[in-house]
Every structure is written in structure tokens, then in C-alpha cells.
Amino acid sequence: MTEQPSANQIVIGVDTHDLVHVAVAVDHLGRRLSDLSIPTSPSGYEYFVTWASGLGEIIAVAMEGTGSYGHALCTLLRSRGVHVVEVSRPSRKNRRNRGKADLSDAESAARAFLGGEVTAKPCGNDASVAMIRSLRIPREALVNQRTQAINQLRALIVTAPAELRESLAGLTAKQLIERVAHFRVGSVTSPAEASRFAMRQLGRHVLHIDVQVEDLDRQLDPLVAGRAPELLAIYGVGVEVASNLLVAWDNAHRIRSEAAFASLCGVAPVPASSGKTSRHRLSRGGDRIAKPRPLANRPDADADG
């Protein structure tokens, strides 16, 4: 159950942005006490703490974007022992009906906590996981670039002159990259030479990406091994899988039960019945889970049962 504030306690809602954060403080009845706009800087965050502390006892700060624009403020507040909860963006329907304003979004975040609609905890603030998360961002971008370059290379092979295309047939991706990266190309005076030059550039691009990925892996390996050695000890789990799990599930307190785990994964059953239809759907869309009908009511039921 969500803890309810008493008369001397306050809840603060924060709407986060790139350059400015907007905050609204409400009392235990949801009445607005004060509002504030601060720059996204260390001095701005310190002023926020001073302002909030002067209004009363802070029972919670309900904030949008704790993993993006609000990450720095969220980290500071949690280091000071302030309870921070993650608030989802208002629905499009509400924004269309009520309009969009930073102060109203911040106030809505605070009221959502008072109404018991917000209980999600922000992602964890483990330092090693934060480093792993930072290193995985460029690694994933490079791997995507590598895949795109290989796909473009294969597309070039399809349209290349027959002799060149036949010379590259049957090669694995690794063999293909090595072959085209070492093409000797003179002046581009024919379609075949243009194809060879383009293939060589893509091959060298892939090899350069491989070097960058290896550099990132050398930094990731000790971080993952130091943070979760028991995870790496599981058969079939390497640094790539382990780092993915650490980044995705860095706040174990969010997984209180099997039901909480299902909700976090978006596969918790949610009632979606209407009239004579009795069914459920997954909490984040997906397939519908229909309630089975009695055999006698099925059109294909056998007369003898």
C-alpha cells in the first residue's frame, strides 16, 4: 500500500526537461503549496533540496524521466535519503483534453502518488552497473552499424558484375569481410571497379568497427566479472548476456514477487472483459488470453460429449 502523507508532510511532483526542471509541492490533501523552476545544474539541484526541505517533511518525490533528464536530480535525492518514485508520462487522452503545461504535469505527478497510482521505483544507482550501461550504449550502436554495413555489402554483391559476384559466392561473413577489405583497386573506370572500391570501403569499415568493439569489451569484461561472477559461472552466459541482464534488472527491489516480475516484463494478465466476453490481455498489449468456454457451448462439440 502507498504511504499516505499526514498534515505536516508534502509530496513533490517534478516534470523534467533538458535545461529546466519544474516542481510542484502539494500537501496531504493535494492542495498546491508552492512551485519552482530550476536549471539542470548542481546548484539548481541543491536549491531544489533547500526549497523542498523548507516546506515540510518530504514523503516522496514523484518524477518523470528518472533514467534520462531527471537522472542527476534523482541520484542526488536518493543519496540524501529522499524517497523517489517513477511516474509515467500522462496519457495522450488526458493531454488532449486538459492541455499540456509543465506545472500541471508536475502537479499531476504529485497527485498520482497521493492517489496510489504511482509505486514504481527508479532504476538502481549501482556505480558498476552505471559504468556497464554507459559502455553498452556505444557497443550496441557499433554492432548495429556493423550489421548495416554487412547488409549493404551483400546488396552490392547482388548487383555486381557476374565475374565479381561469382568470386565471392559461398563465403561466410568473416571470409567475405577479409576478402573485400584487401581488394586492390585502381582508378574507378568501370562498374566492376566501382563495385570493388565500394566493397573495400565497407569491408574496412566493418574491420574498424570490430577493433572498437574489442576495445569496449576489454573494458566491460572486468566490470561484469567483478559485479556478477556468479552470473558468468552459469553455463551459456557470457559477458554480453550478463551485462544485458545487469543493465535491465539493476533494481532487484522492484521484483518483489512472481506477479511483480510478470508486471515488469509486461506479461501480467489484465482484465479486459465486456458484456458476455470474459478474457484478459497482457499488461503491455500482446496476445489476448481468452477464458475457455464450456465444451457444451462450443460449436464443434460432439453430441455425445
Side-chain angles (χ1 to χ4, degrees):
M1 296 180 62
T2 303
E3 184 180 356
Q4 293 298 321
S6 58
N8 63 336
Q9 294 176 320
I10 62 171
V11 175
I12 300 176
V14 182
D15 187 27
T16 60
H17 298 278
D18 183 16
L19 301 178
V20 175
H21 293 342
V22 177
V24 171
V26 300
D27 64 8
H28 67 294
L29 297 177
R31 296 173 297 194
R32 182 187 294 191
L33 300 176
S34 179
D35 57 73
L36 177 71
S37 178
I38 59 168
T40 54
S41 63
S43 59
Y45 301 148
E46 290 293 342
Y47 185 77
F48 174 90
V49 175
T50 303
W51 166 78
S53 302
L55 295 174
E57 181 185 352
I58 307 171
I59 189 172
V61 174
M63 183 187 305
E64 292 185 28
T66 59
S68 54
Y69 291 141
H71 178 70
L73 179 58
C74 176
T75 301
L76 174 65
L77 292 174
R78 295 176 73 180
S79 68
R80 303 288 177 85
V82 178
H83 178 47
V84 181
V85 293
E86 172 74 29
V87 179
S88 301
R89 288 195 308 173
S91 67
R92 292 183 179 181
K93 178 181 178 181
N94 290 339
R95 286 190 171 185
R96 184 169 57 250
N97 294 337
R98 302 176 184 175
K100 170 72 172 72
D102 296 339
L103 283 174
S104 61
D105 285 350
E107 186 172 353
S108 296
R111 292 179 182 275
F113 176 83
L114 285 174
E117 302 173 12
V118 178
T119 57
K121 296 182 179 180
C123 293
N125 55 355
D126 187 285
S128 59
V129 174
M131 290 187 286
I132 293 171
R133 182 184 292 108
S134 297
L135 293 175
R136 283 195 56 83
I137 292 175
R139 191 187 190 283
E140 290 179 2
L142 288 169
V143 170
N144 289 336
Q145 291 179 26
R146 186 181 191 277
T147 301
Q148 183 181 26
I150 293 176
N151 290 339
Q152 292 170 336
L153 176 59
R154 293 193 183 280
L156 279 174
I157 294 174
V158 171
T159 58
E163 183 178 351
L164 177 58
R165 187 172 64 249
E166 290 298 322
S167 67
L168 301 175
L171 298 178
T172 64
K174 184 177 181 179
Q175 293 170 337
L176 179 62
I177 297 302
E178 290 289 341
R179 176 76 64 85
V180 301
H182 293 89
F183 273 168
R184 294 183 179 181
V185 182
S187 300
V188 179
T189 57
S190 66
E193 288 299 307
S195 295
R196 289 171 62 87
F197 183 81
M199 291 178 188
R200 186 180 69 174
Q201 295 302 104
L202 286 172
R204 290 181 176 180
H205 180 51
V206 172
L207 292 179
H208 180 61
I209 290 176
D210 289 341
V211 173
Q212 292 179 292
V213 171
E214 289 176 1
D215 289 342
L216 288 167
D217 285 342
R218 278 194 290 270
Q219 301 296 329
L220 276 169
D221 288 353
L223 290 175
V224 176
R227 180 62 178 79
E230 68 283 356
L231 193 58
L232 292 176
I234 300 174
Y235 178 77
V237 177
V239 172
E240 173 67 12
V241 174
S243 62
N244 239 330
L245 288 172
L246 287 172
V247 170
W249 309 104
D250 64 333
N251 191 344
H253 298 292
R254 293 186 295 172
I255 311 174
R256 305 178 305 277
S257 62
E258 184 178 349
F261 179 75
S263 179
L264 197 60
C265 294
V267 295
V270 177
S273 302
S274 177
K276 297 180 180 180
T277 303
S278 178
R279 64 178 179 85
H280 289 73
R281 64 171 178 83
L282 301 183
S283 54
R284 293 185 185 174
D287 298 331
R288 295 174 177 177
I289 308 172
K291 181 178 179 180
R293 290 180 294 171
L295 184 61
N297 295 334
R298 298 181 187 174
D300 58 342
D302 201 56
D304 295 332

